Amino acid sequence: MERGLLIVLSGPSGVGKGTVRKHLFEHYNNDFDYSISMTTRKQRAGEKEGVDYYFRTREEFEDLIENNGLLEYAEYVGNYYGTPLQYVQETLDSGRDVFLEIEVQGALKVRKQMKEDGIFIFLSPPDLGELESRLIGRGTDSVEMIQKRIQKAVQELKLIQYYDYVVENNSVDQAAQKVRHIIESEHLKVHRNLRHFTEIIEEME
Ligand code: 5GP
């Protein structure tokens, strides 16, 4: 049995990763499973334990780090976020794809560990050409503040070099469809189908 693929959707903060991911799972029947993350941040209204996240204390989270129970984790605005390892391993081993939606530090860690089985998709801000003018905004921020925002955006965009695909988030549905097409195409790569074809050729010979 072929191992599943690990699909990683990531990108700058505020780009709409969560919205695209939710849209993808709510509106399409996918052949891949979402890996529910663990976090120490407070549960928001409407969020469900074991659906949106596994909500844990810092202590519980740190225990899991020590016991190597996470594929990756990162600290983001004062809270831990991480991907439980067991679910990912078992699902990939069973031949199904796993979908992660994580911030960039975590994605880079996964990239280092799973270059072969991983597909890394960078969700980029919409209207990239107008990003600078949007960051400059309506003139209410100080020049210093604007400079900082531009620098941060540049640093985040530079990370694109570590990814395999880029999807501009101009429309949520189009972005979600592009993600689906990427995954479909990855499965059509010859090296992922070679064993199957080799068997058929051998039988026919
Ligand atoms: P939020 O608190 O808004 O749900 O998520 C904050 C950020 O954490 C988002 O950028 C989201 O993609 C990221 N995130 C969610 N789960 C994980 C995870 O398991 N690992 C990492 N590294 N980031 C995550």
Side-chain angles (χ1 to χ4, degrees):
M1 154 122 35
E2 291 290 325
R3 240 170 100 78
L5 302 175
L6 184 67
I7 304 135
V8 181
L9 180 69
S10 190
S13 55
V15 74
K17 301 184 285 290
T19 312
V20 171
R21 184 257 300 170
K22 280 184 194 138
H23 185 90
L24 193 57
F25 282 90
E26 277 165 18
H27 293 86
Y28 295 96
N29 282 324
N30 303 310
D31 285 336
F32 43 87
D33 299 333
Y34 176 57
S35 158
I36 300 160
S37 294
M38 191 169 283
T39 185
T40 59
R41 89 146 157 72
K42 285 221 169 72
Q43 198 166 345
R44 293 182 189 137
E47 283 184 337
K48 289 200 184 97
E49 160 68 22
V51 176
D52 296 287
Y53 280 105
Y54 297 110
F55 296 96
R56 295 291 181 269
T57 63
R58 278 188 90 80
E59 212 176 30
E60 287 168 332
F61 200 102
E62 283 168 358
D63 271 354
L64 209 62
I65 297 174
E66 268 180 35
N67 293 317
N68 299 319
L70 297 169
L71 169 66
E72 61 74 35
Y73 71 94
E75 235 179 321
Y76 177 82
V77 228
N79 286 304
Y80 283 127
Y81 292 83
T83 305
L85 180 61
Q86 195 181 351
Y87 175 80
V88 172
Q89 270 177 346
E90 286 176 3
T91 311
L92 293 180
D93 286 347
S94 79
R96 280 187 72 82
D97 299 344
V98 176
F99 188 96
L100 307 184
E101 178 248 301
I102 59 178
E103 52 69 66
V104 287
Q105 303 166 56
L108 294 182
K109 286 185 203 161
V110 179
R111 172 98 197 163
K112 281 196 188 127
Q113 294 176 56
M114 307 203 48
K115 253 194 159 170
E116 291 298 308
D117 291 332
I119 298 162
F120 296 83
I121 307 171
F122 186 90
L123 192 67
S124 93
D127 309 317
L128 210 46
E130 288 162 31
L131 184 61
E132 195 176 355
S133 52
R134 274 195 295 125
L135 290 169
I136 291 169
R138 286 170 299 180
T140 44
D141 288 320
S142 67
V143 174
E144 214 176 62
M145 204 49 211
I146 291 166
Q147 279 307 324
K148 267 192 188 156
R149 275 204 272 165
I150 291 175
Q151 273 170 21
K152 183 163 184 262
V154 169
Q155 290 309 318
E156 289 179 334
L157 286 178
K158 276 187 179 171
L159 295 174
I160 199 173
Q161 62 183 304
Y162 302 109
Y163 289 75
D164 304 309
Y165 293 93
V166 58
V167 170
E168 217 172 303
N169 189 15
N170 289 327
S171 124
V172 175
D173 189 57
Q174 274 177 29
Q177 285 195 45
K178 282 180 186 165
V179 169
R180 279 171 59 84
H181 292 155
I182 290 168
I183 298 163
E184 275 171 24
S185 308
E186 281 290 333
H187 278 285
L188 302 180
K189 282 201 163 160
V190 166
H191 76 91
R192 297 211 165 93
N193 293 279
L194 210 49
R195 200 195 292 167
H196 175 63
F197 275 85
T198 311
E199 279 168 15
I200 292 173
I201 292 165
E202 276 171 5
E203 264 177 42
M204 287 170 74
E205 262 178 350

